[in-house]
């Protein structure tokens, strides 16, 4: 809230509670509306065309666009059509995914109150909540959504549910002088108050601002960018070398431009974004069958590398429903007697959360049979208790339940009993339990203290097991809750999460000091957390190099969910939380997260193997073509052959999304040094084996140049498809898990199609079956040698990593293709 807001609100507060406050006049309200704007969330959105244009800007789109321009200049219309089609497909997929996920602010808006009751010109009236201004006097009653941040001034009592905003598991009691936040819901009582902040200045609005500020670039996007940059630099370097040689040789300009086109087309990983997106989309479908719906595809790759999981408590680790703890009956009274008396003092037709927990604790459905409630007095915020008159078997008595101090005052026990009750209340409070006192009148009409009923929000049955499983998978789990640290410690103890629970202000408060990271890393959980705290915890961990997951269900979780690398909205989450999240769980609890992590790591292995394959194949083709022209002044393949290779290689390789893949025991990340090393090694080996075929065809058999080009084309195609079998694991090609038939069949069918094209001369000179079978035999032999080369490269990398000094850092292992 701005200083001007505070000043205006204070000026308009009027008399003290109980006075004759008239609120604002309509003229004053109009002036303030013009000054502060409407009471709504402001969003800064980029238009559809602007968002679409971003997908045509970047290293890989630039490469595709340059190739398209060269194709048009040389009038290679078939090439141009294929290149533009892939460009628009990649842009369309990305645009659709972004549009689908970009709804967090809109759903936050829907939670705001639509109407508000305000006093204008001395008259109470209902107006649209968007027209409320600072200084307005508003009235809030049962069921109302608080329209703005309000300082309560009149009325005895108000209980508001602000769990979706602050994460507190229980309704909060408010009195005159307290603040009620915009977006919270009145559950009991009614009060009036002065608006202190509206729109983006409210607590709710600041949460929305955090959602807008939350920006992350996924490690997947960074990896694709690095791959694109690598191929761009290689292509530019080779084109420059060829251009200089062409000038020195006085080659025709048209031939040089044609080679630049061929080289550019060959270097573009046209299908790279599409293949990786399809791989993640298929993985998303599998996750959906496991009750986890993916709203942002790149989050799948992030989950594979996630090494810290920050989880909300209320509704995530716990059930978000009050439950009766172990009753503590007073001496001389039985457990069932205590619960029955409390149930008789509860409203059975429309129970609130407390009444519902007590009624659920009855030993049987017929426990209240035979009792008739003659009068019922609901909870009185002044007396802080509820009472009922009961009739049974011709006799009558009264029961009461409420705050322990109110029940003790009603019963007036002796000092020893009073001390014992106070000690029991303190003991339960230290465990984070809320306690109720229960009393009943005896035959003489005197009140007798029956005992205490502790209430708490219990953990889900599967939470402890899920936390243990996640930690075994290398994921550190930290709890973040708006509740008191006593409640947090109790739940953390039951879940075996650890007892180092830190109050958020001790980390981020004014006297906390500068370096917050060591305290965040050492903590098992955080208590009394507000949305900005969760946001800052996630960002601090990210800046330290961790891949962070965040679970939550409320509006208060939305900023952290969006900022996290993997935002996870649990079952029953609010619309705003689901919109900000990357993964939405449709089954209760967190058990599905362990299954999602396992599936994500399998998906990552598929993407990693394809990245190695694509780089190695592109490197092989670029270096082989360049060296052929520099050394032999010979074009080994034609432009049409390059386009055919791109189609026959990439389209079936999309089926890698369905391949069997290993599951890493620890978090995995893109290790671009390892990826480029393995890919370059396989690429260099492929160049050598390609020159072997070239030499045999041209020098040993003395075949014409067009036939040599067809033989080289077939070798590049067959060996290229075999490379995918090399890159899918670290060991020999027969190592489990074996390739899926969904990968094998398309690969072999396209190899057969390419073989027929070379044999019968489709778009090239025919070579016949004899030479085709010789090429196949050569490629199979090279394939076995390539497997040995790959394993040797991995051994060298592992040995080098073992010699390297171990440095502390995020608990993530290098990606194991």
């Amino acid at each position: 809230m701005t200083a001007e807001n505070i000043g205006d609100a204070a000026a308009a507060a009027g008399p003290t509670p109980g006075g004759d406050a008239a609120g604002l006049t309509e003229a004053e309200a109009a002036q303030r509306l013009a000054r502060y704007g409407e009471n709504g969330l402001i969003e800064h959105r980029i238009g559809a065309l602007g968002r679409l244009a971003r997908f045509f800007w970047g290293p890989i789109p630039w490469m595709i666009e340059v190739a398209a321009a060269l194709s048009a200049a040389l009038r290679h219309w078939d090439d141009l059509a294929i290149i533009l089609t892939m460009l628009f497909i990649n842009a369309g997929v990305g645009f659709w995914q972004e549009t689908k996920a970009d709804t967090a602010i809109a759903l936050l808006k829907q939670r705001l109150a639509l109407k508000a009751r305000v006093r204008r010109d001395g008259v109470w009236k209902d107006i649209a909540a968007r027209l409320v201004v600072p200084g307005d006097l508003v009235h809030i009653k049962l069921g109302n959504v608080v329209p703005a941040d309000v300082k309560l001034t009149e009325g005895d009592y108000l209980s508001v549910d602000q769990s979706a905003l602050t994460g507190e598991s229980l309704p909060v009691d408010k009195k005159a002088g307290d603040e009620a936040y915009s977006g919270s819901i009145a559950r009991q009582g009614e009060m009036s108050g002065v608006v202190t902040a509206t729109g983006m200045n409210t607590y709710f609005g600041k949460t929305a601002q955090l959602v807008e500020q939350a920006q992350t670039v996924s490690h997947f996007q960074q990896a694709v960018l690095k791959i694109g940059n690598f191929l761009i630099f290689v292509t530019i370097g080779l084109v420059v070398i060829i251009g200089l040689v062409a000038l020195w040789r006085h080659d025709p300009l048209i031939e040089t431009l044609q080679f630049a086109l061929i080289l550019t087309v060959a270097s573009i990983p046209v299908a790279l974004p599409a293949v990786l997106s399809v791989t993640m989309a298929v993985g998303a479908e599998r996750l959906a069958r496991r009750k986890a719906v993916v709203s942002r595809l790149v989050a799948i790759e992030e989950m594979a590398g996630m090494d810290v999981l920050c989880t909300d408590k209320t509704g995530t680790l716990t059930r978000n429903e009050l439950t009766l703890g172990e009753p503590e009956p007073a001496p001389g009274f039985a457990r069932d007697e205590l619960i029955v008396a409390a149930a008789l003092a509860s409203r059975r037709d429309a129970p609130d959360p407390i009444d519902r927990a007590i009624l659920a604790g009855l030993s049987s459905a017929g426990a209240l049979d035979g009792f008739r409630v003659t009068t019922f007095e609901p909870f009185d915020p002044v007396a802080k208790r509820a009472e009922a008159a009961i009739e049974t078997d011709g006799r009558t008595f009264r029961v009461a339940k409420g705050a322990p101090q109110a029940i003790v005052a009603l019963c007036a026990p002796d000092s020893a009993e009073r001390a014992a009750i106070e000690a029991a209340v303190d003991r339960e409070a230290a465990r984070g339990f809320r306690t109720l006192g229960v009393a009943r009148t005896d035959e003489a009409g005197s009140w007798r203290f029956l005992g205490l009923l502790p209430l708490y929000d219990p953990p889900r049955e599967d939470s402890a097991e899920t936390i243990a499983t996640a930690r075994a998978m290398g994921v550190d789990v930290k709890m973040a809750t708006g509740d008191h640290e006593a409640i947090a410690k109790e739940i953390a103890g039951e879940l075996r999460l650890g007892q180092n629970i830190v109050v958020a202000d001790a980390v981020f408060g004014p006297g906390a000091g500068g370096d917050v990271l060591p305290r965040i890393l050492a903590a098992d959980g955080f208590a009394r957390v507000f949305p900005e705290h969760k946001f800052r915890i996630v960002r601090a961990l990210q800046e330290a190099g961790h891949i962070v997951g965040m679970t939550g269900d409320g509006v208060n979780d939305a900023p952290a969910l969006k900022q996290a690398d993997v935002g996870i909205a649990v079952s029953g989450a609010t619309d705003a939380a689901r919109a900000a999240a990357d993964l939405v769980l449709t089954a209760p609890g967190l058990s599905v997260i362990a299954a999602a992590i396992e599936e994500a790591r399998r998906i990552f292995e598929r993407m990693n193997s394809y990245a190695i394959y694509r780089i190695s194949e592109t490197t092989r083709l670029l270096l082989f073509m360049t060296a052929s022209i520099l050394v032999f002044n010979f074009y080994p393949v034609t432009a049409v052959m390059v386009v055919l290779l791109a189609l026959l290689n990439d389209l079936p390789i999309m089926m890698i999304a369905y391949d069997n893949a290993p599951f890493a025991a620890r978090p995995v990340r893109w290790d671009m040094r390892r990826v480029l090393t393995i890919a370059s090694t396989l690429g260099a080996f492929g160049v050598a084996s390609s020159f072997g075929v070239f030499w045999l065809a041209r020098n040993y058999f003395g075949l014409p140049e067009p036939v040599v080009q067809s033989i080289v084309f077939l070798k590049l195609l067959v060996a290229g498809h075999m490379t995918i079998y090399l890159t899918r694991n670290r060991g020999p090609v027969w190592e489990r898990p074996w390739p899926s038939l969904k990968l094998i069949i398309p690969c072999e069918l396209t190899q057969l199609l390419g073989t027929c094209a070379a044999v019968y001369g489709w778009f090239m000179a025919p070579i016949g079956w004899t030479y085709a079978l010789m090429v196949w035999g050569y490629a199979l032999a090279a394939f076995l040698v390539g497997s040995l080369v790959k394993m040797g490269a991995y051994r060298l990398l592992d040995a080098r990593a073992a010699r390297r000094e171990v440095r502390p850092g995020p608990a993530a292992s290098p990606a194991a293709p």
Side-chain angles (χ1 to χ4, degrees):
M1 183 175 64
T2 64
E4 292 174 323
N5 273 20
I6 297 172
D8 287 341
T16 56
D20 186 24
L24 299 178
T25 65
E26 288 290 356
E28 289 173 330
Q31 290 176 354
R32 295 188 184 187
L33 184 64
R35 182 176 187 180
Y36 299 114
E38 291 190 350
N39 178 33
L41 301 185
I42 301 171
E43 50 183 318
H44 306 284
R45 299 176 68 90
I46 301 173
L49 289 177
R51 286 185 287 121
L52 180 61
R54 291 189 301 185
F55 293 97
F56 294 93
W57 188 260
I60 291 179
W62 292 338
M63 294 172 72
I64 298 175
E65 289 154 8
V66 167
L70 285 172
S71 298
L74 296 174
R75 299 186 178 183
H76 290 185
W77 307 120
D78 293 342
D79 298 352
L80 178 63
I82 293 170
I83 292 169
L84 289 180
T85 298
M86 296 307 298
L87 177 65
F88 283 104
I89 287 175
N90 290 335
V93 170
F95 177 74
W96 177 75
Q97 285 297 328
E98 183 176 283
T99 302
K100 180 181 173 184
D102 190 24
T103 56
I105 298 297
L107 288 168
L108 277 167
K109 275 185 165 183
Q110 292 177 10
R111 188 175 173 83
L112 291 175
L114 299 178
K115 292 286 185 180
R117 188 161 184 80
V118 302
R119 190 161 187 170
R120 298 268 178 91
D121 293 327
V123 178
W124 287 104
K125 60 179 68 175
D126 292 323
I127 65 170
R130 61 184 176 82
L131 301 179
V132 170
V133 297
D136 260 326
L137 183 64
V138 299
H139 188 71
I140 305 163
K141 62 181 180 180
L142 176 67
N144 287 165
V145 176
V146 180
D149 282 0
V150 175
K151 184 175 183 180
L152 300 172
T153 56
E154 298 181 44
D156 294 322
Y157 175 75
L158 185 69
S159 177
V160 297
D161 177 1
Q162 56 188 38
S163 60
L165 298 174
T166 64
E168 294 165 286
S169 56
L170 300 173
V172 179
D173 296 338
K174 303 286 187 179
K175 61 183 184 300
D178 288 343
E179 187 98 353
Y181 297 128
S182 170
S184 56
I185 302 170
R187 295 301 187 194
Q188 289 182 342
E190 55 183 285
M191 293 187 72
S192 298
V194 174
V195 173
T196 57
T198 59
M200 299 302 286
N201 289 318
T202 63
Y203 180 92
F204 190 92
K206 290 172 183 175
T207 300
Q209 283 180 317
L210 287 177
V211 172
E212 283 201 325
Q213 292 170 13
Q215 296 292 334
T216 56
V217 177
S218 76
H219 295 80
F220 163 75
Q221 292 166 325
Q222 294 173 14
V224 172
L225 189 65
K226 288 178 181 178
I227 293 171
N229 289 339
F230 173 78
L231 296 178
I232 283 176
F233 292 140
V234 171
T235 303
I236 291 174
L238 295 179
V239 168
V240 168
I241 292 173
I242 290 299
L244 293 175
V245 171
L247 288 174
W248 179 69
R249 289 177 176 172
H250 303 290
D251 290 341
L253 179 62
I254 191 68
E255 287 187 12
T256 305
L257 286 176
Q258 185 178 27
F259 171 75
L261 169 63
I262 294 173
L263 202 64
T264 305
V265 172
S267 67
I268 299 171
V270 177
L272 176 64
V275 170
L276 297 184
S277 294
V278 168
T279 302
M280 289 188 287
V282 172
E285 184 182 354
R286 292 178 178 174
L287 288 176
R289 290 199 292 267
R290 295 191 175 200
K291 307 297 185 183
V293 178
V294 178
S295 61
R296 192 172 67 108
L297 285 180
V298 293
I300 295 175
E301 180 264 342
E302 300 286 31
M303 179 167 278
M306 181 177 71
D307 59 332
V308 178
L309 176 63
C310 299
T311 174
D312 183 39
K313 178 187 73 69
T314 304
T316 305
L317 296 176
T318 66
R319 299 178 193 168
N320 195 21
E321 58 184 39
L322 282 180
T323 300
L324 191 63
E326 185 58 36
E328 296 191 25
F333 296 99
R335 177 185 185 278
D336 287 348
E337 194 175 2
L338 169 62
I339 298 175
V340 166
L344 291 172
S346 302
R347 189 185 294 275
R348 278 175 274 175
D349 53 348
D352 62 20
I354 293 176
D355 290 347
R356 191 178 298 112
I358 293 171
L359 293 170
L362 291 170
S363 58
S364 67
L368 300 183
D369 293 347
F371 295 96
R372 188 170 71 88
V373 179
T374 56
T375 62
F376 180 80
E377 299 173 17
F379 182 81
D380 180 0
V382 178
K384 294 190 179 300
R385 67 177 186 268
E387 288 188 31
I390 310 298
E391 184 179 286
T392 180
D393 296 332
R395 61 187 181 89
T396 61
F397 62 91
R398 297 184 67 81
V399 290
K401 78 174 194 307
Q405 65 271 21
I407 300 301
V408 167
L410 185 67
C411 299
D414 59 37
S415 57
E417 186 178 359
R418 183 187 296 270
I421 295 170
E422 291 176 352
V425 171
D426 292 341
R427 184 171 62 252
E428 296 295 346
R431 298 176 59 198
F433 286 17
R434 169 185 285 190
T435 50
L436 292 178
V438 182
R440 186 185 67 191
T441 57
D442 57 19
E443 291 80 359
S446 301
W447 285 100
R448 299 287 305 278
F449 186 79
L450 298 185
L452 295 172
L453 293 178
L455 297 167
Y456 77 116
D457 180 16
R460 293 184 182 274
E461 293 78 2
D462 61 349
S463 291
E465 182 181 353
T466 300
I467 290 171
T469 302
R471 285 180 165 174
M473 297 169 80
V475 181
D476 186 19
V477 181
K478 299 179 183 294
M479 178 172 65
T481 176
D483 274 325
H484 191 273
E485 57 269 27
I487 300 176
K489 284 186 177 181
E490 176 68 19
I491 296 298
E494 292 189 41
L495 298 178
R496 299 187 295 277
L497 191 60
Q499 288 295 291
N500 186 18
I501 305 299
V502 181
V503 176
D505 278 345
V507 178
F508 299 107
D515 191 6
V516 301
L517 183 62
R519 280 165 283 175
I520 292 175
L521 291 174
D524 298 311
F526 306 90
R528 289 192 261 173
V529 172
F530 285 90
E532 59 268 26
H533 294 144
K534 294 182 181 181
F535 183 84
R536 292 173 67 183
I537 288 169
V538 170
R539 180 167 281 181
L541 289 168
Q542 288 173 326
E543 290 173 352
H546 293 275
I547 297 181
V548 185
M550 174 73 197
T551 74
D553 63 346
V555 174
N556 64 310
D557 300 316
L561 288 173
K562 190 174 180 186
Q563 176 63 35
D565 298 292
V566 187
I568 306 169
V570 299
S571 176
T574 61
D575 288 345
R578 288 198 298 268
D582 306 306
L583 194 71
V584 180
L585 307 185
T586 58
L590 295 181
S591 58
V592 70
I593 289 182
I597 292 173
E598 179 179 341
E599 185 63 33
R601 291 182 186 176
R602 294 187 192 280
I603 294 166
F604 179 88
E605 298 297 347
R606 297 184 185 106
M607 294 191 298
N608 198 77
S609 66
Y610 175 77
I612 294 175
Y613 158 77
R614 184 66 271 167
I615 296 171
S616 65
E617 283 304 286
T618 302
T619 303
R620 178 185 65 156
L621 192 58
L622 288 176
L623 293 179
F624 175 61
M625 291 174 62
T626 303
S628 296
I629 293 176
L630 291 178
V631 177
F632 301 103
N633 196 22
F634 177 76
Y635 287 87
V637 288
T638 65
V640 172
M641 289 177 182
V642 171
V643 174
L644 283 175
L645 282 172
L647 288 175
L648 293 174
N649 276 345
D650 277 333
L651 292 179
I653 297 308
M654 287 189 182
M655 300 307 291
I656 197 174
Y658 300 93
D659 189 25
N660 299 320
F663 160 55
R666 307 291 293 177
V668 288
R669 296 194 184 185
W670 286 100
D671 185 344
M672 293 311 298
R673 179 179 297 177
R674 178 175 289 246
V675 167
L676 294 176
T677 299
I678 298 297
S680 299
T681 301
L682 290 175
F685 173 76
V687 171
S689 65
S690 297
F691 269 117
V693 166
F694 174 71
W695 180 85
L696 287 172
R698 188 185 188 205
N699 297 85
Y700 184 79
F701 291 106
L703 299 174
E705 288 190 357
V707 176
V708 172
Q709 288 177 322
S710 298
I711 288 176
V712 169
F713 162 80
L714 181 58
K715 192 274 175 185
L716 292 175
L717 174 69
V718 174
H721 279 60
M722 289 181 178
T723 303
I724 193 61
Y725 299 129
L726 292 179
T727 60
R728 58 183 303 279
N729 59 28
R730 293 167 53 107
V733 292
W734 56 83
E735 185 178 68
R736 289 178 180 270
W738 293 335
S740 166
L741 286 176
K742 291 184 178 180
L743 174 64
I744 293 174
I745 292 174
C747 285
E748 300 314 312
L749 286 177
T750 49
Q751 281 181 319
L752 180 59
L753 182 62
T755 301
C756 290
V759 168
Y760 298 111
W762 302 337
F763 307 109
M764 62 191 73
I767 65 173
W769 281 106
T770 301
Y771 287 123
L773 291 175
M774 290 174 62
V775 170
W776 268 86
Y778 184 94
L780 286 170
F783 172 67
L784 295 176
V785 176
S787 181
L788 297 175
V789 171
K790 175 198 69 175
M791 290 189 292
Y794 273 119
R795 288 195 185 99
L796 289 175
L797 286 173
D798 291 341
R800 182 179 178 183
R803 290 194 300 268
R804 213 180 300 148
E805 182 182 357
V806 178
R807 299 189 182 114
S813 63

